[in-house]
Amino acid sequence: MRILVVEDEEPLAEAIARGLRREGMAVDVALNGDDGHEKATVTRYDVVLLDRDLPGMPGDDLCREIVSSGELTRVLMLTASGAVSDRVEGLSLGADDYLAKPFAFPELVARVRALGRRATPAAPPLLVAGDVQLDPAKRTVRRGTGPIELTRKEFGVLEVLMSANGSVVSSEELLERVWDENADPFTTTVRVTVMTLRKKLGEPGIIETVVGSGYRVPDTGTRQG
């Protein structure tokens, strides 16, 4: 998932970003409403974690902008106030969820994952290509009867490819969906990650290179619910 954290308390914003990255998510950070608006305009995020009290563009206005864009981006509002009236006001702006500070990080992760599932087309609980099985919820990959240990980026690339229903996914899209804004668009990181992923998955290979276009995992029609 691609996440945007818009929070003016930099230590908190960076702590949230580090925690979500450990959960395998690609996370960008904005420390004011104007920067958050710019990032949300140029990048399609699955979930935006949005503080209501922001310098620059207010969080409420940014929420309205995101909602009115028509994108599937989901908004989780963060605020220091847990009053019912504030929660109702935040949700009435179009926010999908509301979390008062301080919050337990496991709860934040659970809410982000739940919103992320609503931000993308429905996928089956288990993705299957040949004898390779990927479980997005448990974040596990198996081939045949044996588990395969992948890095977070390798897992993210494989999940995107297996979720594409046999369609070609470009290197640029993989970079956008699995990495964050700090990734160099001219780097070979996607190619190198696909190469190491292929080695770990073994033979026969399931990831095809489509010259000049990107990569794909052929849709075998064996996805399971």
Side-chain angles (χ1 to χ4, degrees):
M1 285 191 290
R2 187 76 181 265
I3 310 296
L4 175 62
V5 178
V6 190
E7 164 63 60
D8 65 320
E9 296 182 33
E10 187 170 2
L12 176 59
E14 292 299 336
I16 292 173
R18 285 196 302 272
L20 294 179
R21 287 171 184 145
R22 285 195 296 268
E23 295 294 323
M25 304 178 197
V27 186
D28 297 337
V29 174
L31 300 177
N32 59 70
D34 294 331
D35 191 21
H37 180 258
E38 181 179 354
K39 291 179 187 294
T41 300
V42 300
T43 301
R44 212 286 284 173
Y45 292 98
D46 296 297
V47 181
V48 175
L49 277 63
L50 178 61
D51 186 18
R52 290 193 69 184
D53 186 16
L54 291 170
M57 175 182 281
D60 289 358
D61 291 350
L62 179 51
C63 180
R64 291 190 188 94
E65 288 282 338
I66 293 171
V67 172
S68 66
S69 71
E71 296 285 353
L72 290 175
T73 301
R74 303 301 179 180
V75 178
L76 171 57
M77 274 198 162
L78 304 176
T79 180
S81 174
V84 172
S85 59
D86 286 312
R87 293 200 300 271
V88 170
E89 185 178 359
L91 294 171
S92 69
L93 294 169
D96 298 278
D97 201 355
Y98 196 100
L99 191 58
K101 304 173 187 175
F103 47 80
F105 190 74
E107 180 181 5
L108 175 68
V109 172
R111 289 174 182 251
V112 169
R113 289 201 184 282
L115 291 176
R117 288 193 292 270
R118 293 166 54 189
T120 55
L126 190 65
L127 299 174
V128 179
D131 61 347
V132 176
Q133 298 181 352
L134 182 148
D135 188 323
K138 296 180 180 179
R139 300 194 66 76
T140 58
V141 175
R142 301 182 67 83
R143 182 152 206 177
T145 58
I148 298 176
E149 297 296 327
L150 300 179
T151 67
R152 289 194 296 269
K153 298 306 183 188
E154 290 165 353
F155 185 93
V157 168
L158 185 60
E159 183 178 13
V160 171
L161 291 174
M162 292 181 69
S163 299
N165 298 315
S167 298
V168 176
V169 182
S170 68
S171 295
E172 292 76 15
E173 183 176 351
L174 286 171
L175 197 65
E176 179 176 315
R177 304 305 302 162
V178 180
W179 282 263
D180 57 31
E181 64 185 353
N182 296 316
D184 181 353
F186 300 104
T187 186
T188 60
T189 187
V190 172
R191 181 173 60 82
V192 171
T193 301
V194 170
M195 180 178 65
T196 59
L197 179 57
R198 282 171 165 156
K199 289 181 179 178
K200 290 184 178 182
L201 291 174
E203 298 295 338
I206 66 166
I207 301 175
E208 297 179 352
T209 297
V210 181
V211 179
S213 298
Y215 305 94
R216 71 178 171 199
V217 171
D219 186 1
T220 62
T222 57
R223 284 178 175 79
Q224 301 175 6

